[in-house]
Amino acid sequence: MSENVIHLHKDTTPAPSAEPVADAAPTVLTVVPDAPPTRPVPLWVRSGRAVKRVATDERTKNTGRVVVRHGAYVVGGVRIVARRTWDGRTGSRYERMIRTAEAAGNLEAAEEWEERLQRFRAARHHRRMDLLHSPVEAAKGVAVGAGMGIGVLVGLGVVMAISNGDIGDVITPLSATIDFIALLIRIVQIVWGPLISIGPFLALLALWAVGSKQQAAPNWALPANVRSGEGEPITPSIVVKALRDLGVPALRNAIKEMGDAGASMLGPIRIAGCGIEVDVTLPSGVSTIEVQNRRRKLAENLTRHEHEVFITIPTAARTVRLWVADSGALDEPIGPSPLVTDDTMTADYTKGKAPWGQDLRGDAAALSLYQRHLLITGLSNQGKTVALRSLALWLSLDKSVQFLMGDLKGVGDWAMFDGLATTLIQGPTDEHVIQVTEMVEGAVEEMNHRIQAPPGTTFPPLIVLVDEAQVAFMCPAKDADKRPYGGSKANSRYFMAVRKIHNQGRAVNVLMWQGTQDPTNENLPKLVREGAHTRASLALGTESQARMALGDKAVDGGAAPNLLRPGLDRGTLVVASDGITIPAGQSSITVRTHYIDDDDAEAITDRARALRDGVTTLHAIERGEDRDPLADIANVVGEASRVLTQDVLKRLATLNTDAYGGWSFIDLKRVLDGTGAEPYKSDGRMVVGRDRLTRALANRDETGSASTAE
């Protein structure tokens, strides 16, 4: 039990001298309880903590890495030198190449390496047989050489003796040679000791240099800049090691069994734009899908990020094509569009290609738009509108092209086409969807008129462009006949109008371009997306969306827009189309599109407007009054007994341009057929008769009256 301690305090401060001395202050007793006793920390605990602090200190770790690294360099150097020596002294190198050629089924190469091995063995045998006779030959050579040397020296001494008149000069050259040899022996005796001492250190230094050059140390012990591998160039050994460590047992075992450690799997490594490209022939038992499904791990093994490695399937069996970007290269922007930099550029719808951007190899990516329906999709805010608009901007520089445009976002992304497009509807409401649907249906009517024209008739391109088309497909509005504007049923007006253009529009240059976001079966029906000839996708969320956007064939061939990084890969498209140059064996290509901002787009459309005589843009579909074509035909024929059909068409267009401006003889004949007022020939030319029209109108009125009375 602890005891209390009593402290005595006494005030001993003296009083001022001027004051009388008072009694001393009383002693104060203070009772202070003892603090609870503390248990001393064992010595082994304190030592353990100190050791842990030292062991986990960063300086200790760095020191350990240095020691292990340089020690491993020496050990690795020994291994490398031993391997090189063994390969140089034996035929193991040739045997490895023979096994590799046999594994690849290349019997010609195997036979060639077999012949080289036989020549190597024959030469080695010849050298060994020469060694058996070399001591005797060497002794004979030394004896002959020594005798000749002594003779030469003595002869030289005789000449000197005769010249100097001193017989002692006969042995002067011989004695000088002996003195020189003695000097060399002395030098060797002096140097030999230090050489014996430092020789092992020089050998270790040489082995260290070999190991250091090959980085023959554990990865964790290497310097940070080497260990990270940032920007490390791709070599065959790095590719093979990345494949070996991919986690596919069959692939790992096959590489181990190959005599060349897997080098025969690789084709030539080619520089491809801002990266490299290499074809890898997989060994038997390894599927290409096993490599595709491990894209992230393969990228990390190659010291790259996932978005810097692309895996595609070429035509060769059991082969994957790897494209590996230089570290950080894909995060750098590409240059401006030629549409911005070249003020003199024009477009050619039939033979030209739109400059869209660059592929991963750094080559220009240009897209042909001739008679191809187009679909671009992706997540929101990934650059879909800009990518679609850049194609329209290029095509606007062909003055023969006509545009019908519907922007169901309505924030002004397409406002610069005012004065270029025949129709430009902008807005996200149901009323705007109705207007866009009627615009597309009007394009269907124009398509039908073109189809009925005489064979050989050429028509200007008509681009029907709808951005944010998912708004139209999801619109719940219905018309007076209860037909829905949205949806994907047989009576859905927008869906059916798009399908009709997809089915027949290409042949008469009526093309459907659509931009949608976040595709699903509801907002992008299967029949619509499969009707597009050119399909492109920005970043998407899932593989199922990628299949909706590009089709199964492209995705099975390696297309993966779902692996693009939303936000970071903005403007990067995966394109499946026969209108763009795609490397042989691939089903798609990745394109980094040029960014054209609103100001540059305005400048381009100003140039496009200068090429045209002037276009009046409608911002809504005008629903005109119902016309009576038969009565209007009778009206324009007037009092004449008959009028040429060509003149009838001209008069109808003058009467009402909107209703009859696009009429052809086919339309005129369609209205008059079955009425009794059909066009007929007079003097070899087709005419319309007044009397027949009068009878047709009278018969129609009588029929209508009778029907009403009943």
Side-chain angles (χ1 to χ4, degrees):
M1 174 179 258
S2 62
E3 298 179 355
N4 293 333
V5 179
I6 300 176
H7 298 276
L8 301 179
H9 302 280
K10 183 176 182 179
D11 190 0
T12 58
T13 304
S17 57
E19 297 291 336
V21 178
D23 295 337
T27 301
V28 180
L29 302 179
T30 304
V31 180
V32 180
D34 274 348
T38 58
R39 179 180 298 176
V41 179
L43 178 62
W44 66 270
V45 174
R46 293 198 301 269
S47 301
R49 291 174 179 173
V51 170
K52 183 178 179 181
R53 284 196 301 270
V54 173
T56 57
D57 188 78
E58 190 62 30
R59 289 173 293 183
T60 304
K61 292 181 180 180
N62 291 336
T63 303
R65 289 193 188 101
V66 170
V67 172
V68 173
R69 178 166 69 246
H70 292 287
Y73 283 166
V74 175
V75 175
V78 172
R79 178 179 54 81
I80 293 170
V81 171
R83 180 64 179 271
R84 291 175 179 174
T85 303
W86 178 258
D87 286 345
R89 302 291 295 178
T90 67
S92 60
R93 177 183 300 146
Y94 299 93
E95 292 172 356
R96 285 200 306 270
M97 299 308 297
I98 291 171
R99 289 195 299 270
T100 300
E102 289 175 346
N106 192 345
L107 299 181
E108 293 182 359
E111 292 176 357
E112 181 181 350
W113 283 109
E114 178 69 25
E115 291 177 2
R116 293 185 180 182
L117 177 59
Q118 294 299 331
R119 291 197 297 269
F120 169 79
R121 287 174 174 171
R124 183 178 61 185
H125 175 73
H126 183 71
R127 290 194 301 270
R128 288 175 178 175
M129 294 303 295
D130 288 342
L131 288 176
L132 296 177
H133 306 285
S134 59
V136 177
E137 298 296 333
K140 292 180 179 179
V142 170
V144 173
M148 293 181 61
I150 293 173
V152 171
L153 292 174
V154 172
L156 181 60
V158 171
V159 173
M160 292 178 61
I162 295 173
S163 175
N164 297 330
D166 185 0
I167 192 64
D169 288 342
V170 173
I171 62 171
T172 298
L174 187 59
S175 62
T177 302
I178 294 173
D179 292 341
F180 177 73
I181 294 174
L183 177 62
L184 292 179
I185 294 173
R186 182 60 180 166
I187 293 174
V188 170
Q189 289 175 341
I190 294 173
V191 176
W192 183 252
L195 283 178
I196 293 297
S197 300
I198 67 174
F201 295 101
L202 294 177
L204 287 176
L205 182 61
L207 294 173
W208 177 90
V210 173
S212 175
K213 185 176 181 181
Q214 298 295 326
Q215 297 294 331
N219 188 63
W220 59 268
L222 295 174
N225 59 335
V226 177
R227 187 166 63 248
S228 66
E230 191 71 23
E232 183 178 8
I234 301 299
T235 62
S237 61
I238 290 177
V239 176
V240 172
K241 185 176 182 298
L243 293 169
R244 185 195 66 193
D245 299 337
L246 202 54
V248 181
L251 180 59
R252 181 179 62 252
N253 295 335
I255 292 175
K256 288 182 179 179
E257 293 172 0
M258 292 180 182
D260 60 349
S264 60
M265 296 193 307
L266 306 185
I269 295 181
R270 303 176 294 273
I271 299 297
C274 57
I276 63 95
E277 185 178 74
V278 60
D279 287 350
V280 181
T281 303
L282 301 176
S284 178
V286 181
S287 172
T288 56
I289 193 66
E290 293 182 275
V291 178
Q292 283 185 297
N293 289 342
R294 291 170 171 81
R295 179 189 179 197
R296 173 174 293 181
K297 189 170 185 179
L298 178 62
E300 292 172 350
N301 290 348
L302 293 169
T303 64
R304 295 295 189 272
H305 297 291
E306 184 178 10
H307 71 277
E308 295 176 328
V309 174
F310 288 82
I311 306 172
T312 55
I313 309 298
T315 53
R318 281 202 342 264
T319 302
V320 292
R321 178 169 294 163
L322 306 180
W323 185 87
V324 184
D326 297 336
S327 184
L330 294 184
D331 296 327
E332 298 293 330
I334 64 174
S337 170
L339 291 172
V340 176
T341 58
D342 186 359
D343 293 340
T344 63
M345 175 175 283
T346 58
D348 185 344
Y349 162 77
T350 304
K351 299 179 181 179
K353 290 188 175 184
W356 212 6
Q358 293 180 0
D359 62 18
L360 295 179
R361 295 164 181 79
D363 299 328
L367 179 67
S368 173
L369 304 173
Y370 177 65
Q371 293 189 344
R372 290 178 176 87
H373 301 304
L374 175 67
L375 172 66
I376 299 180
T377 187
L379 297 178
S380 177
N381 195 32
Q382 297 305 308
K384 167 181 54 64
T385 297
V386 173
L388 182 60
R389 188 175 68 182
S390 65
L391 298 178
L393 288 170
W394 176 79
L395 201 54
S396 69
L397 297 176
D398 183 341
K399 63 181 181 180
S400 68
V401 178
Q402 303 172 3
F403 292 98
L404 300 177
M405 291 184 169
D407 174 16
L408 293 177
K409 185 189 296 182
V411 296
D413 290 335
W414 298 88
M416 67 285 301
F417 281 87
D418 196 353
L420 280 176
T422 305
T423 302
L424 177 59
I425 299 169
Q426 302 178 88
T429 66
D430 289 349
E431 178 59 30
H432 290 103
V433 172
I434 294 172
Q435 294 278 336
V436 168
T437 301
E438 293 178 351
M439 177 190 77
V440 178
E441 290 175 339
V444 173
E445 293 180 6
E446 172 64 18
M447 177 189 72
N448 292 332
H449 293 161
R450 293 183 177 191
I451 291 173
Q452 295 171 2
T457 306
T458 58
F459 303 99
L462 176 61
I463 307 300
V464 186
L465 189 152
V466 179
D467 194 13
E468 306 296 342
Q470 77 279 355
V471 177
F473 286 114
M474 300 300 291
C475 178
K478 296 182 179 181
D479 63 12
D481 298 327
K482 303 300 182 182
R483 293 177 59 200
Y485 287 93
S488 57
K489 297 181 179 179
N491 63 343
S492 299
R493 291 181 59 176
Y494 180 80
F495 169 75
M496 290 306 298
V498 172
R499 288 290 299 134
K500 289 176 182 178
I501 294 178
H502 278 175
N503 289 338
Q504 296 179 302
R506 183 190 65 82
V508 289
N509 285 333
V510 177
L511 304 178
M512 192 75 208
W513 290 11
Q514 294 183 97
T516 69
Q517 70 179 29
D518 202 11
T520 65
N521 285 322
E522 288 73 26
N523 64 23
L524 187 59
K526 185 175 188 292
L527 292 177
V528 170
R529 60 183 185 249
E530 291 185 351
H533 302 99
T534 296
R535 300 167 71 172
S537 176
L538 296 113
L540 288 173
T542 64
E543 182 180 325
S544 62
Q545 287 185 316
R547 292 183 181 276
M548 291 181 191
L550 300 176
D552 291 337
K553 180 180 179 182
V555 174
D556 291 339
N562 52 301
L563 296 181
L564 295 174
R565 301 167 299 167
L568 297 177
D569 290 325
R570 185 180 288 112
T572 299
L573 286 161
V574 181
V575 185
S577 172
D578 62 351
I580 194 169
T581 302
I582 296 178
Q586 295 182 203
S587 56
S588 64
I589 187 171
T590 302
V591 177
R592 304 172 68 197
T593 58
H594 295 293
Y595 177 74
I596 302 177
D597 60 27
D598 291 347
D599 293 338
D600 291 332
E602 288 280 3
I604 296 170
T605 52
D606 288 342
R607 287 156 43 198
R609 275 187 284 269
L611 299 175
R612 291 167 167 79
D613 294 332
V615 176
T616 301
T617 299
L618 299 178
H619 297 281
I621 300 299
E622 296 181 358
R623 300 180 179 92
E625 59 178 335
D626 293 336
R627 308 289 306 183
D628 184 349
L630 187 60
D632 286 341
I633 293 172
N635 184 29
V636 298
V637 169
E639 299 299 327
S641 60
R642 58 184 178 272
V643 178
L644 295 174
T645 54
Q646 294 179 353
D647 292 338
V648 172
L649 292 173
K650 292 178 181 178
R651 295 177 185 181
L652 285 173
T654 303
L655 177 66
N656 192 308
T657 303
D658 294 335
Y660 304 117
W663 268 36
S664 64
F665 176 75
I666 300 298
D667 300 298
L668 181 63
K669 187 175 183 299
R670 172 173 49 82
V671 172
L672 296 178
D673 280 349
T675 64
E678 294 84 352
Y680 62 94
K681 279 190 177 182
S682 176
D683 296 331
R685 304 184 69 182
M686 298 300 293
V687 298
V688 177
R690 181 194 61 192
D691 295 338
R692 295 186 180 188
L693 285 170
T694 303
R695 286 195 299 270
L697 286 171
N699 292 336
R700 187 186 66 176
D701 293 340
E702 291 175 2
T703 302
S705 299
S707 300
T708 303
E710 292 177 0

